[in-house]
Amino acid sequence: MRVLNTTQAEEWIGVLGRTAQHDFYHRPAYHRLAEDRGEGTAHLFTYRDGDYTIALPLLLRPVEASGGEAWSDATSVYGYAGPLASHTGMPESVVRDFQQALKEALVERRVMALFSRLHPLIPQTAMLAGLGDCRQEGETVSIDLTLPPEAQRAQYRSSFRSRINKLRRDGVVCQRDEDKRHLGDFVSMYHETMRRVNAHSSYFFDADYFARLVSGLGPKLQLFVVAVDGRIAAGALVTICDGIVQYHLGGTGDDFLNLSPMALLMDTVRLWANDEGARAFHLGGGVGSKEDSLFHFKAGFSDRRHTFPTWRWVIEPDAYRELCDRNARRNIAHGVRWASTDYFPQYRCPTIPAVKQEGVVVIGAGGHAKVLISTLIACGSPIAAVCDDDDREWGRDVQGTRVSRLEPDRGGRAVIGIGDNARRMEIARTMDFEWEIVVHPSACVHASATLGPGTVVFAGAVVQPDVVIGEHVIVNTGATIDHDCIVGDYAHIAPGVHLAGSVEVGEGALLGIGSAVIPGVKIGRWSTLGAGGVAIRDIADGIVAVGVPAKELKR
């Protein structure tokens, strides 16, 4: 593993030249621009094994010191970056060694967490499998330039074809401004567009940004403008790199919205990209990966879609969890809350004023309740009360909250902080609360997974695609549940348990700390798999099984 910085631009570009495919987002000049904007310090993590190369550009940013220790986190530049490979099919051994070398390099630099946007047109997720979580965020649109030009245009929305024809008949012209003479006009029009659509402040790039972008990217950055009666009506900055043309930034003047000049601009860029021998014209997606009006506009040019993934990886779970918890407590003290529970890394999430609410009632006052309360605090959820039906617990302090009597008719939002599965079921079935789903910010729960009411997923746990988890289930610290598993109501998946794909766990089952279940195995209802046990075959209902491989415990 060799780590380059932007002062080593020639060597950085040499590494990109050894990859099968890259985009302008990966280039040192674009990363230097991010550095100049204060977005972090750019690094190119480059791993070589013989003829094989894997390269990953990242920006490292300092995070708030914790306990006197300095930490960093990593992110990607604005746009689509992610890892690059020298070959379309990389040997598993090379990928595995790259991952190990990358982790060592990040740990050495005290990087606690990593977030990266990935490239929709370049295969990348296979190189990251097993390192955190790659999520599908939405779709993007591109025009396939390997098709004949007539076939490309045939995919346009009919209204777009008519609009483009009319604009050309009326003498409206779109041209490539090779010398960037109209850059100032474009910047003013771009800002006008951002104000019109109420864009986030991060989209208001200043004039210096555009000047540096032009200087840094040179001929890889092109300006196209649409002129109407000598006035600039619309414009766009597009890039071309290694066969990929990207629509980067664009805007339309307020006075020309009724003409829809951007349709003519897109068509002109497409024709130019064909002449340049590009393979794809990537239009991107909607704002925040949503299928909004911007996405609908872009979708009118092509029926080709790409998945836009992001990569989230907690490298130092303890440090990450401590920082999230500390910031969550500070948010509560200042009367604010995180704007999103899905933001990553959570401790960088913007805050908004907290809405006054009763908070969550925690039922139970033992050790499990302590962990549950700390998880709720990390989520920014206020604690309304800690209740227990054991009068010996009343008045005792648990994580800063005084324990009070459990009143079955209290109502409101609640979660059961009791590890015993049978007792948890009894309370859930006899009390009338609105049962909360609680997921620690450092847990990774795939968007396609289903969690039932009352279920809690603790810190560092991973729940993979298409998992179905029932009601009042405990997925404890650091447990992993792989794809297509089914976990029944009131089950307890203890710390460090690993379930392989398509495992079924019956109602009320307990999987002891550090146990494991191989693919397709079924754990029966109200059965127990002992600590450290490995289930390689089905376990019937009501059985206690221990050992490696797990066998029924004789009674």
Side-chain angles (χ1 to χ4, degrees):
M1 175 69 73
R2 178 167 167 74
V3 183
L4 306 178
N5 58 51
T6 54
T7 66
Q8 300 164 292
E10 186 174 345
E11 189 173 356
W12 185 313
I13 291 173
V15 171
L16 298 182
R18 294 197 297 271
T19 63
Q21 176 86 73
H22 76 280
D23 206 339
F24 86 96
Y25 301 110
H26 297 94
R27 295 182 69 83
Y30 192 63
H31 280 78
R32 190 179 305 116
L33 179 61
E35 288 182 320
D36 293 342
R37 285 171 48 83
E39 297 174 14
T41 304
H43 297 68
L44 183 67
F45 293 85
T46 306
Y47 180 77
R48 295 194 66 178
D49 183 348
D51 293 333
Y52 297 105
T53 297
I54 300 177
L56 173 66
L58 292 171
L59 298 170
L60 268 56
R61 310 172 293 184
V63 297
E64 184 179 357
S66 172
E69 295 182 300
W71 291 95
S72 296
D73 60 15
T75 189
S76 55
V77 290
Y78 173 76
Y80 308 113
L84 303 170
S86 57
H87 297 68
T88 54
M90 298 292 286
E92 290 184 10
S93 60
V94 174
V95 172
R96 183 175 61 250
D97 292 346
F98 155 73
Q99 292 184 350
Q100 181 61 35
L102 176 64
K103 183 172 183 178
E104 291 173 0
L106 293 173
V107 168
E108 179 183 347
R109 288 161 178 78
R110 299 187 60 77
V111 177
M112 71 164 66
L114 184 157
F115 173 84
S116 177
R117 300 170 190 86
L118 302 183
H119 201 294
L121 274 61
I122 300 175
Q124 295 175 324
T125 55
M127 289 182 283
L128 306 174
L131 299 182
D133 182 30
C134 289
R135 299 189 179 189
Q136 312 306 320
E137 302 291 351
E139 289 188 328
T140 64
V141 181
S142 80
I143 299 174
D144 184 357
L145 301 180
T146 64
L147 297 174
E150 299 78 11
Q152 299 167 21
R153 184 180 169 89
Q155 292 187 9
Y156 285 16
R157 197 173 291 145
S158 60
S159 60
F160 283 6
R161 292 196 296 269
S162 299
R163 173 64 62 181
I164 292 166
N165 291 338
K166 184 177 187 307
L167 288 170
R168 288 200 169 108
R169 286 196 305 269
D170 292 344
V172 178
V173 176
C174 178
Q175 60 186 7
R176 181 168 65 96
D177 183 1
E178 189 171 359
D179 298 325
K180 316 288 192 305
R181 291 181 296 109
H182 295 291
L183 183 64
D185 296 329
F186 168 76
V187 173
S188 298
M189 186 170 52
Y190 171 78
H191 287 155
E192 189 176 272
T193 301
M194 293 300 100
R195 287 191 293 270
R196 184 174 65 241
V197 301
N198 295 315
H200 188 270
S201 60
S202 62
Y203 289 97
F204 284 83
F205 304 105
D206 59 22
D208 183 62
Y209 169 85
F210 290 100
R212 288 174 177 267
L213 191 65
V214 169
S215 174
L217 294 182
K220 293 189 180 300
L221 182 72
Q222 298 291 330
L223 174 62
F224 285 79
V225 294
V226 177
V228 177
D229 296 329
R231 297 173 60 194
I232 302 301
L237 287 171
V238 302
T239 63
I240 182 167
C241 182
D242 210 5
I244 299 175
V245 170
Q246 291 276 3
Y247 172 84
H248 186 52
L249 298 171
T252 301
D254 290 347
D255 295 340
F256 301 97
L257 290 174
N258 62 318
L259 295 178
S260 299
M262 192 58 74
L264 175 61
L265 187 148
M266 291 291 197
D267 188 53
T268 304
V269 173
R270 174 186 67 89
L271 295 172
W272 167 80
N274 277 305
D275 290 341
E276 292 295 315
R279 297 183 298 277
F281 177 20
H282 188 234
L283 281 62
V287 178
S289 308
K290 297 182 176 63
E291 292 192 9
D292 55 8
S293 58
L294 179 60
F295 178 86
H296 178 72
F297 170 75
K298 294 175 179 178
F301 292 94
S302 173
D303 60 9
R304 190 160 79 152
R305 302 290 180 268
H306 308 274
T307 298
F308 165 49
T310 60
W311 173 31
R312 308 175 181 206
W313 181 22
V314 177
I315 302 158
E316 298 284 1
D318 292 341
Y320 180 85
R321 185 162 53 246
E322 193 279 334
L323 187 55
C324 287
D325 290 350
R326 182 158 57 88
N327 284 11
R329 290 192 294 269
R330 185 171 60 191
N331 288 347
I332 293 174
H334 287 82
V336 297
R337 63 181 177 87
W338 280 318
S340 169
T341 58
D342 193 47
Y343 197 93
F344 188 88
Q346 186 73 54
Y347 52 78
R348 287 191 181 271
C349 183
T351 59
I352 58 176
V355 178
K356 188 176 181 180
Q357 55 184 344
E358 292 182 357
V360 179
V361 176
V362 174
I363 300 174
H368 184 71
K370 290 181 181 180
V371 183
L372 175 57
I373 292 168
S374 70
T375 300
L376 287 166
I377 292 173
C379 294
S381 299
I383 310 299
V386 177
C387 302
D388 202 291
D389 57 2
D390 186 348
D391 57 8
R392 293 172 297 181
E393 299 289 343
W394 299 348
R396 189 168 66 84
D397 183 274
V398 177
Q399 296 289 289
T401 302
R402 190 66 60 86
V403 181
S404 59
R405 178 181 179 181
L406 177 59
E407 300 174 355
D409 58 351
R410 175 183 180 125
R413 300 158 55 216
V415 63
I416 304 173
I418 297 173
D420 181 87
N421 295 351
R423 179 65 177 138
R424 203 162 60 256
M425 181 179 70
E426 178 186 356
I427 292 173
R429 291 182 173 180
T430 57
M431 295 192 176
D432 187 19
F433 284 96
E434 180 184 342
W435 301 113
E436 286 285 292
I437 298 173
V438 181
V439 178
H440 194 282
S442 70
C444 294
V445 178
H446 195 271
S448 64
T450 302
L451 308 182
T455 284
V456 180
V457 182
F458 284 145
V462 177
V463 179
Q464 297 285 23
D466 297 320
V467 168
V468 177
I469 297 179
E471 300 182 9
H472 300 279
V473 172
I474 299 170
V475 182
N476 223 314
T477 308
T480 63
I481 303 179
D482 216 332
H483 63 89
D484 300 296
C485 288
I486 299 174
V487 181
D489 299 343
Y490 313 110
H492 184 165
I493 312 299
V497 169
H498 299 299
L499 304 186
S502 302
V503 167
E504 292 187 27
V505 178
E507 178 189 75
L510 169 62
L511 277 65
I513 187 168
S515 60
V517 184
I518 69 170
V521 167
K522 296 180 180 181
I523 308 297
R525 299 172 67 253
W526 300 99
S527 288
T528 298
L529 175 60
V534 178
I536 64 172
R537 58 179 64 88
D538 292 354
I539 296 175
D541 294 347
I543 296 297
V544 176
V546 297
V548 181
K551 297 180 181 179
E552 180 180 351
L553 186 65
K554 300 302 181 182
R555 301 181 181 180

